Amino acid sequence: MEPQTQAKKSNLVLILDYGSQYTHLITRRIRSLSVFSLCINGTSSLDSITELNPCVIILSGGPHSVHADGAPCFPSGFIEYVESQGIHVLGICYGLQLLVQNIGGVVKVGEKHEYGRMEIEVQKNYGLFGNKQIGDKQVVWMSHGDEAVKLPEGFEVVARSNQGAVAAIENREKKFYGLQYHPEVTHSLEGMETLRHFLFDICGITAGWNMEDVLEEEIKVIKAMVGPEDHVICALSGGVDSTVAATAGTQGYRRQASLYKERERVMATFESDLHLPVTCIDATEEFLSKLKGVTEPEMKRKIIGKEFINIFDIFAHDLEKKVGKKPAYLVQGTLYPDVIESCPPPGSGRTHSHTIKSHHNVGGLPKDMKLKLIEPLKLLFKDEVSFCLLQLLHASPPHYFSLSFQTDLNYFTPLTSQVRAMGKIMNIPVAFLRRHPFPGPTCCPIPGDVTAGNSLDILRQVDEIFIQSIKDAGIYDEIWQAFAVFLPVKTVGVQGDQRTHSHAVALRAVTSQDGMTADWYYFDFKFLDDVSRKICNSVRGVNRVLLDITSKPPSTIEWE
């Protein structure tokens, strides 16, 4: 991280993380503007901040109240430091409240809490809204209970919500700015325009950062950690994230999952199209036997995480017998979203984020791992990794020892249109480039006991019908992610003039840019009618089909 940061420090936007689930979206949005951004813990020492020498600092949102005991805050001397260095500071949501509370203002519990889409109105047509007119309105995404009721000296309100609450503030002389809403989420319709105006027009930043810098740095990191004689196991799902991590390494073992005919399709892609040697080891029984009777989502994740590593430990031992040296490292395609959603709750000493779900490759890993982790991509987002994949595949591929084990679940990543175009030139199969993500091993779309009855077989069949119908309708590329969910409930129905008591299934399809926020896909009613009929007529044991129409937030994309 340090060489990369130092190379770009004169143009670095530093985000101090106070626990918002959107924090890393800020990082991603800024990078999409060709500006390097880096996120660190909001309670990092002042020395840690000054060493990075940022030109802009953003204080993220968070789940806390500034009045709560132990509420996270920037370090002592922070305000004096940024003023003396002329650093622009932008507080977002909780970050705005931190600024107000710590430099002479007052924050109190709001009379009316504001959550979700809200409308704000511009009060001043300069500073943050210098490209707007007084009275202009825009829809933003709010998520706060406290609000600023008295501003510090020198600050002024530049926008208010339709409920009258402070929505944006600034002190142009001291270069302090604040937004009570989240400009980084897609629900804030003009949020990117506001961030762009702030960075380029107010802060005077010059765009110039690109993904080639990340690619070069990540390869350096791996070469520095792993010696030429070391053996490395790479954990792959067959998706973009882990494929990049493995391709960047020197030797890898491929993990392959399956959903209905996914195993056959993906194996064919790697062997016939990408010419990667793959040995498939079916570990379904190992996983399902450990999950039998388990219904609590976090417990499932911990069990899967432990077994996930156990499989690699066993294979590492077998490999040692063959090559005479035991692998010491496990390379994973862990990404920013995996890390932020797996963060433990406040008080752990690690972060202030709340655990949304422990990913098998982050929060689900056992503490007594025998392999050392290498996670070269954990500062990256999915579309950034997609870019890296194409760059790496374009280079001479390394030699692979390939391990593939089947878990009945899979996780794939979509590519942007630009990356897809590059992939075509490099003869990467279009079907691979167009793949949706799919819930990972610890996001099983079966709430409750995954081994109960024939739930897995029913899920495979329903999902096959759903996804194929989407493809047949020509709307596959309009959707970020789609999948079926098996519900552990039975409902009464009538099939063949007889009463049935069968299972209900749910269909989930969302649109998104990065997976951190999402909205449900608006299907045509006839499409839904056709799919429902196909499922109920073709899949024995199903007599009811539901559609999930919840956005993220308040839900997550997956059900567990």
Side-chain angles (χ1 to χ4, degrees):
M1 179 178 71
E2 192 168 301
Q4 183 182 45
T5 302
Q6 291 298 322
K8 296 295 177 183
K9 67 179 181 178
S10 62
N11 217 27
L12 171 66
V13 176
L14 182 65
I15 295 97
L16 299 187
D17 177 14
Y18 293 107
S20 169
Q21 300 306 319
Y22 309 133
T23 295
H24 297 287
L25 272 181
I26 306 172
T27 312
R28 183 64 194 95
R29 297 293 185 253
I30 294 173
R31 290 184 185 184
S32 72
L33 297 173
S34 298
V35 174
F36 182 64
S37 57
L38 183 67
C39 181
I40 65 174
N41 194 302
T43 57
S44 297
S45 69
L46 187 60
D47 285 345
S48 298
I49 296 172
T50 58
E51 286 175 3
L52 294 172
N53 194 21
C55 62
V56 175
I57 295 177
I58 295 179
L59 311 177
S60 86
H64 306 275
S65 166
V66 292
H67 302 294
D69 292 338
C73 186
F74 42 70
S76 176
F78 173 80
I79 297 297
E80 292 77 10
Y81 162 69
V82 295
E83 287 189 20
S84 66
Q85 297 299 311
I87 297 173
H88 288 82
V89 177
L90 173 65
I92 294 177
C93 198
Y94 178 80
L96 176 150
Q97 296 166 14
L98 274 184
L99 277 178
V100 171
Q101 185 75 5
N102 284 276
I103 53 179
V106 178
V107 175
K108 291 185 177 180
V109 176
E111 294 183 4
K112 295 181 179 180
H113 296 184
E114 295 182 321
Y115 299 108
R117 290 182 177 88
M118 301 285 293
E119 192 174 65
I120 66 169
E121 181 176 324
V122 174
Q123 306 274 297
K124 307 286 185 182
N125 62 340
Y126 48 72
L128 283 170
F129 300 103
N131 54 351
K132 302 292 181 183
Q133 297 297 317
I134 294 175
D136 281 355
K137 297 179 180 180
Q138 58 181 282
V139 174
V140 302
W141 188 262
M142 291 283 194
S143 183
H144 68 100
D146 292 353
E147 65 176 271
V149 295
K150 179 184 177 183
L151 299 185
E153 183 179 351
F155 278 80
E156 57 184 327
V157 177
V158 293
R160 289 187 180 274
S161 72
N162 56 7
Q163 294 188 150
V166 171
I169 62 173
E170 61 185 56
N171 182 327
R172 285 175 291 159
E173 181 180 350
K174 292 183 178 293
K175 300 182 179 180
F176 289 161
Y177 299 82
L179 297 171
Q180 187 56 71
Y181 61 90
H182 290 274
E184 68 273 22
V185 303
T186 55
H187 304 304
S188 293
L189 301 183
E190 299 180 50
M192 277 300 292
E193 181 183 346
T194 301
L195 285 175
R196 184 183 292 106
H197 177 70
F198 172 72
L199 294 173
F200 297 143
D201 299 331
I202 295 177
C203 303
I205 287 181
T206 302
W209 176 81
N210 55 60
M211 280 305 303
E212 284 89 340
D213 298 334
V214 172
L215 177 63
E216 181 180 348
E217 188 58 35
E218 300 306 346
I219 293 176
K220 287 180 181 178
V221 169
I222 292 176
K223 288 182 177 179
M225 293 182 67
V226 183
E229 302 301 320
D230 288 331
H231 289 271
V232 179
I233 293 178
C234 291
L236 278 93
S237 64
V240 173
D241 310 344
S242 50
T243 301
V244 173
T247 308
T250 56
Q251 296 178 8
Y253 298 87
R254 184 169 303 281
R255 179 176 72 82
Q256 179 57 50
S258 175
L259 182 74
Y260 202 48
K261 296 181 180 179
E262 286 297 276
R263 172 186 166 189
E264 290 82 357
R265 294 180 184 130
V266 177
M267 290 287 288
T269 296
F270 280 116
E271 292 175 347
S272 303
D273 300 315
L274 298 182
H275 306 294
L276 296 176
V278 177
T279 302
C280 183
I281 298 177
D282 189 340
T284 300
E285 289 305 315
E286 285 88 336
F287 281 92
L288 294 184
S289 63
K290 299 291 193 305
L291 291 170
K292 186 176 180 60
V294 180
T295 60
E296 205 282 315
E298 274 298 296
M299 182 60 69
K300 290 182 187 177
R301 295 173 183 279
K302 299 296 183 183
I303 291 172
I304 291 173
K306 184 176 182 179
E307 189 62 22
F308 173 81
I309 294 301
N310 185 50
I311 295 293
F312 285 105
D313 282 338
I314 293 172
F315 200 84
H317 180 72
D318 292 341
L319 181 65
E320 182 181 11
K321 296 178 181 178
K322 295 179 180 180
V323 299
K325 186 173 183 179
K326 189 173 184 178
Y329 298 95
L330 173 64
V331 176
Q332 293 192 145
T334 305
L335 301 186
Y336 246 166
D338 300 336
V339 174
I340 190 63
E341 289 189 334
S342 298
C343 285
S348 67
R350 289 175 57 194
T351 183
H352 299 284
S353 301
H354 283 191
T355 300
I356 301 302
K357 55 192 176 188
S358 295
H359 290 257
H360 71 288
N361 56 341
V362 186
L365 297 180
K367 295 181 180 179
D368 58 346
M369 281 182 56
K370 299 180 180 65
L371 297 167
K372 298 176 184 178
L373 277 181
I374 297 176
E375 298 175 307
L377 309 176
K378 70 178 182 179
L379 292 181
L380 301 181
F381 291 86
K382 290 183 181 298
D383 53 345
E384 294 178 325
V385 172
S386 301
F387 180 89
C388 282
L389 169 64
L390 295 177
Q391 293 290 323
L392 288 165
L393 289 178
H394 189 61
S396 298
H399 175 66
Y400 282 91
F401 290 106
S402 297
L403 165 66
S404 170
F405 66 78
Q406 178 183 346
T407 64
D408 284 304
L409 305 162
N410 209 350
Y411 191 13
F412 289 93
T413 305
L415 306 181
T416 62
S417 58
Q418 180 182 13
V419 174
R420 288 174 183 162
M422 293 176 63
K424 281 185 178 181
I425 295 173
M426 297 163 60
N427 296 319
I428 296 177
V430 174
F432 178 83
L433 295 170
R434 293 171 53 229
R435 297 187 68 95
H436 286 178
F438 194 87
T442 49
C443 301
C444 179
I446 304 179
D449 185 352
V450 302
T451 67
N454 62 338
S455 57
L456 278 169
D457 187 56
I458 289 176
L459 178 64
R460 294 187 190 102
Q461 296 179 60
V462 173
D463 191 86
E464 180 77 8
I465 293 172
F466 183 39
I467 300 302
Q468 189 58 51
S469 296
I470 289 175
K471 292 179 178 178
D472 292 343
I475 57 176
Y476 187 83
D477 290 340
E478 299 176 17
I479 298 171
W480 162 272
Q481 181 174 344
F483 57 93
V485 180
F486 177 89
L487 303 180
V489 295
K490 287 189 174 182
T491 69
V492 173
V494 178
Q495 292 172 298
D497 294 326
Q498 296 181 354
R499 177 187 183 276
T500 61
H501 190 225
S502 300
H503 290 285
V505 295
L507 307 180
R508 177 73 157 153
V510 299
T511 57
S512 181
Q513 292 184 356
D514 40 50
M516 294 296 288
T517 62
D519 205 353
W520 61 283
Y521 182 79
Y522 290 65
F523 285 109
D524 178 80
F525 286 161
K526 186 179 185 307
F527 172 87
L528 293 174
D529 180 54
D530 290 343
V531 170
S532 176
R533 291 175 187 274
K534 287 179 183 177
I535 291 172
C536 291
N537 290 338
S538 304
V539 183
R540 188 177 182 85
V542 174
N543 67 359
R544 194 175 299 270
V545 178
L546 311 175
L547 179 67
D548 184 345
I549 60 170
T550 323
S551 64
K552 175 185 180 180
S555 70
T556 58
I557 293 177
E558 297 86 6
W559 278 46
E560 287 196 343

